[in-house]
Amino acid sequence: MTKDGVQGAGEEEQAQSKKGLKKQQKEAEKAAKKAEKQAKLAEQQTTEEDDFAKDRYGVPPMVQSQQKLDRALVRIQDLTPEMADQLIWLRARIHTSRAKGKQCFLVLRQQQFNIQALVAVGDRASKQMVKFAANINKESIVDVEALVKKVDQKIESCSQQDVELFVERIFVISQAEPRLPLQLDDAVRPDGEGDEDGRATVNQDTKLDNRVIDLRTTTSQAVFRLQSGVCKLFRDTLTTKGFVEIQTPKIISAASEGGANVFTVSYFKTSAYLAQSPQLYKQMCICADFDKVFCVGPVFRAEDSNTHRHLTEFVGLDIEMAFNYHYHEVIESITDTMVQIFKGLRDNFQTEIQTVNRQYPSEPFRFLEPTLRLKYREGLTMLREAGVEMGDEEDLSTPNEKLLGRLVKEKYDTDFYVLDKYPLAVRPFYTMPDPSDSKYSNSYDMFMRGEEILSGAQRIHDASLLTERATHHSIDLEKIKAYIDSFRYGAPPHAGGGIGLERVCMLYLGLHNVRQTSMFPRDPKRLTP
Amino acid sequence: MPMYQVKPINGSEIKIDLPTCMYKLPNVHAQASSCSEHALQNGELDPAVAALELRQDEIMRRLYELKAAVEGLAKTVTTPDADLDVTVTSLSQSPTSTAFRGTSDLDSLLGKDLGALRDVVINASPTRPPLTLLVLHGLLCQRYRVLSTVHVHSSVAAVPPALLSCLGPQHADSYTRQRFQLGFTLIWKDVPKLQMKFSVQNMCPIEGEANVARFLFRLLSPYPSEPALATLIDSWVDTAFLQLAEGSTKERATVLRALNSSLGQEPWLAGPELSLADIACYCCVRQTCSSTPANVQRWLKACDNLGHFSSTLPLLQ
């Protein structure tokens, strides 16, 4: 599987995938032949000599919870030089195996950690046992009893570099099929490296088609551990700030932001929509005196855009908060939350970040505390100084967004900043206009590495102004009657915003495709796995 | 008039019959002579000239007043042992007039106003807080409407609270950025050398506290036009940062001797007025030297009296 961009630059994707399939098949055939040969060889060599280590290896019956062994299984990451000369049990996958005469080297893997193990013919292991160990398929799960030994020279290829295991017993708990759709080592190879050595890299679609195996790679393990960290830090920070977590329905009766880009589902005798954002419900909770709420849940967008940063279903981290006098109170609250997340990641997820960087090198994420806040007009001025021609009330295009990100990084050296006071014309109808200049609004976007991650604003909490703005945007008042009505019975001033979890992870790690940070991505062309 | 007067040869009134189909012009000769005569005789001035004279007088009077005021101020400021109340000077500047002057000044100094805040970004390491710049920040605040913000960069783990509040309390109007003339953004960051970024498009980052100090001081007052004096100031600034701040004990002692002898002759380092030389040397002496000779001590006290340096005090411990 060389990179298929070399020949097929102009070809369609389908043809490419066909080619890929063929190649895969060929490779599979090769592998099968090889396996056959090996099997034959093994048979030939297997003499009927007496095997003294018969009980020390094998394939035990399937674990159906017949017995409850009182056996402690050690985690690979705990195997340090302090554990030397202890006899331990562990369960791991066979990452690679390499037989050499009377010895067989295995690399045992457990999540992102791995260790070298050795089966050698001696008074504990027989020839047959070594052969058995060498023939266990990759990715099979084994139970191993082994002696921990210190090594003289560091083992560079493993995460546990100071110790290795001398295997005493080895049992296969779950046998993997001999042929893997993709090799883990190929999947973690940095983009440039494969080309130089003529070694294979795996393209994105193959990875996503075999997501379960791809998720086993160290890179994926690190990405999703970090993602879980983002969620946890988000929840923890907001909870300490006095926020309440809410759960909102995802099946809604009316589209909140125009019907064009929502999914329609049939709902008994009528139809319903999948929520684009919990916007309406967050605001209703504010009107219901919850004061500060947040919500973590799926968000659906039926936009047919196939870009590196759009998904049709993603996890939204939404915040809505009532404030006292100025919506900057809310901006400060949100940016502080983000900074806490960044700090938490910087301090607690350094291993994960470095693991991802090994495959996808990127600069460490930089930020300021308190967060830099620029005005939209300042941003425009910076762009104009750089030679971009833009109207005062024009929205930022994606390239301009990126350019502005670069300019801000150049001057302030931060990858995270807020752009405040957007033109009213480019924001949704419920955005509060700026009191001093009606061309602008009390709305803001937040950017990470020059890409938008959050879009928020002060919302209009006055029913009559809301009606006026809705009419101005020529929205059918009947359809949003319930929404407007919720502000009739006293509503506090409030503001908020929504963040895409996948985007935050992608941009924090400096990855190039949001599918890398979505466990099972959904886009207009992908519904499985 | 020191000339003879000659009587007109003709009778003063000659009647000529003029045709009526032509434009009438006043007789130039007749009018001039009669006017000057009239003026001479009565000793009176033309009202237009009188008005002009009056206006000039008024302008001169105001200029003298201004000069006197400035001299008075200069006396109090430049006399080292003058007992000066800081608050009075800062209050005495009327906000509107300075603001107006400030805008025009900044336009001429920094180029055209493009409708956005001119933001001076300074990256400084928290291990070596730039005292000189904090003093200059205080002076800038007296002159312009400055939006000052302090940030901590992610490359720095923790910053002492004194450094976070070193630019004073946050401005009450800080949410309206366009109301300010100048932004002063101090970022505590892990940098080997202090760094200033202003106009990313046209300027490379300026490195070194001394150079940044020169830039900021020029926003406050023009450099002396006399080359010798300007060079003297520059040389003192260099001495302060290269020899006082970073030098060995021996070098420091040499500089202190030089300071002492210079301050024996003049109240300030570069002549009769406070300059950047004094600010830079003051900060470096305070930061590094424990004991100082007599003249330097007097000068340090004079600096303290000015009150510009009070912002550095919490950071000196």
Side-chain angles (χ1 to χ4, degrees), chain A residues 346 369-370 378 410 412-413, chain B residues 119 151-152 154 177 189:
Chain A
R346 180 189 67 186
E369 186 188 11
E378 274 175 84
E410 178 86 36
Y412 298 92
D413 198 20
Chain B
D119 203 356
H151 294 277
V152 180
S154 57
R177 285 172 71 99
K189 185 178 166 186

Side-chain angles (χ1 to χ4, degrees), chain B residues 122-143:
Chain B
I122 290 167
N123 295 319
S125 163
T127 52
R128 296 194 49 193
L131 295 188
T132 321
L133 303 189
L134 297 184
V135 173
L136 288 170
H137 167 257
L139 291 172
L140 282 170
C141 283
Q142 284 179 9
R143 177 82 182 270

Side-chain angles (χ1 to χ4, degrees), chain B:
Chain B
M1 192 167 277
M3 280 175 82
Y4 294 108
Q5 280 194 339
V6 183
K7 280 198 173 166
I9 302 163
N10 306 325
S12 60
E13 276 151 57
I14 311 163
K15 289 272 181 228
I16 310 166
D17 280 332
L18 291 170
T20 52
C21 62
M22 287 173 74
Y23 291 110
K24 272 184 189 163
L25 277 177
N27 190 345
V28 183
H29 305 283
Q31 212 168 29
S33 62
S34 75
C35 184
S36 63
E37 241 169 339
H38 182 74
L40 279 171
Q41 280 161 11
N42 297 352
E44 273 176 21
L45 274 173
D46 185 14
V49 177
L52 189 72
E53 230 168 58
L54 213 67
R55 262 171 53 207
Q56 283 174 344
D57 277 347
E58 175 67 11
I59 288 171
M60 287 310 282
R61 191 182 58 75
R62 275 164 59 189
L63 275 175
Y64 278 126
E65 256 175 32
L66 210 62
K67 197 183 165 199
V70 167
E71 269 174 353
L73 265 175
K75 226 177 227 166
T76 47
V77 169
T78 53
T79 314
D81 33 21
D83 214 10
L84 187 80
D85 194 353
V86 191
T87 49
V88 174
T89 37
S90 54
L91 283 177
S92 66
Q93 292 174 320
S94 82
T96 48
S97 69
T98 48
F100 179 71
R101 197 182 59 197
T103 319
S104 61
D105 274 353
L106 276 181
D107 272 339
S108 65
L109 283 168
L110 299 175
K112 221 171 85 67
D113 186 2
L114 288 162
L117 188 69
R118 296 184 176 92
D119 203 356
V120 177
V121 179
I122 290 167
N123 295 319
S125 163
T127 52
R128 296 194 49 193
L131 295 188
T132 321
L133 303 189
L134 297 184
V135 173
L136 288 170
H137 167 257
L139 291 172
L140 282 170
C141 283
Q142 284 179 9
R143 177 82 182 270
Y144 304 110
R145 274 169 289 129
V146 180
L147 176 66
S148 14
T149 40
V150 183
H151 294 277
V152 180
H153 192 261
S154 57
S155 58
V156 176
V159 169
L163 292 183
L164 288 179
S165 56
C166 64
L167 295 188
Q170 203 177 31
H171 206 285
D173 274 347
S174 63
Y175 55 88
T176 46
R177 285 172 71 99
Q178 72 272 20
R179 284 190 206 161
F180 294 87
Q181 294 168 307
L182 197 66
F184 190 95
T185 306
L186 179 62
I187 300 176
W188 296 115
K189 185 178 166 186
D190 183 21
V191 278
K193 234 178 176 188
L194 185 128
Q195 202 180 43
M196 186 193 86
K197 288 180 182 174
F198 179 62
S199 165
V200 181
Q201 296 298 321
N202 312 318
M203 275 163 71
C204 65
I206 296 181
E207 287 205 329
E209 191 175 336
N211 300 322
V212 178
R214 284 182 189 120
F215 177 87
L216 291 181
F217 194 74
R218 251 169 253 206
L219 298 180
L220 288 164
S221 69
Y223 240 44
S225 50
E226 192 197 329
L229 193 59
T231 316
L232 180 68
I233 293 177
D234 271 343
S235 122
W236 273 121
V237 173
D238 279 342
T239 311
F241 286 107
L242 296 174
Q243 290 179 297
L244 270 178
E246 287 166 19
S248 61
T249 2
K250 219 171 164 187
E251 273 179 293
R252 263 178 221 156
T254 323
V255 176
L256 280 181
R257 269 200 301 281
L259 276 175
N260 201 37
S261 67
S262 168
L263 289 168
Q265 294 151 10
E266 297 263 17
W268 304 103
L269 281 175
E273 279 175 62
L274 181 83
S275 70
L276 183 61
D278 298 289
I279 299 175
C281 287
Y282 172 89
C283 292
C284 292
V285 168
R286 279 281 190 222
Q287 240 170 339
T288 54
C289 306
S290 45
S291 62
T292 48
N295 287 337
V296 177
Q297 210 126 56
R298 188 170 49 76
W299 164 77
L300 283 177
K301 221 171 161 209
C303 290
D304 284 336
N305 276 345
L306 285 181
H308 302 318
F309 299 92
S310 57
S311 61
T312 63
L313 292 177
L315 303 178
L316 277 172
Q317 273 88 51

